[in-house]
Amino acid sequence: MLAERGHGVERRVDEGMGPASVAADLGVNTETLRNWIRVADERRLGSPSATQTAVPASDSGEVTALRRRIRELEEERDILRKAARYFATETRW
């Protein structure tokens, strides 16, 4: 996919082709190609973009732990919802 990305951006710039025709040739969505072109332009100009901003290595462990905790909390929430639904139907007079 990265080779296609680079090739698509190069064709857009070198041959002056429109994004719709290049996207059709590559078999990708026009908006996807436009995003690739935008990122390539930002990299060329040196401005930071969301795709270039990476999580520092020191924070990656914390991110992993937080994602694990979110998963645990979501499981607990789902269990409590099921229990509440069960008791709500069980206690109807």
Side-chain angles (χ1 to χ4, degrees):
M1 188 56 111
L2 290 176
E4 287 180 355
R5 177 183 299 186
H7 183 66
V9 172
E10 287 173 11
R11 285 179 62 190
R12 168 79 166 101
V13 173
D14 294 341
E15 300 174 14
M17 297 176 67
S21 60
V22 174
D25 288 345
L26 295 175
V28 297
N29 187 306
T30 305
E31 289 303 313
T32 301
L33 182 65
R34 284 188 180 138
N35 288 336
W36 292 350
I37 292 169
R38 180 186 46 78
V39 169
D41 289 344
E42 288 175 354
R43 286 183 181 161
R44 189 173 36 247
L45 297 175
S47 64
S49 70
T51 57
Q52 289 177 325
T53 307
V55 176
S58 61
D59 290 342
S60 66
E62 183 179 359
V63 169
T64 303
L66 290 171
R67 286 185 178 154
R68 185 179 311 117
R69 181 65 179 144
I70 288 170
R71 219 174 17 253
E72 290 172 1
L73 291 171
E74 287 173 343
E75 288 176 13
E76 291 174 8
R77 178 201 60 201
D78 292 341
I79 291 170
L80 290 172
R81 281 184 178 169
K82 288 177 184 177
R85 232 180 294 139
Y86 172 79
F87 287 117
T89 58
E90 182 74 17
T91 57
R92 289 195 179 156
W93 308 92

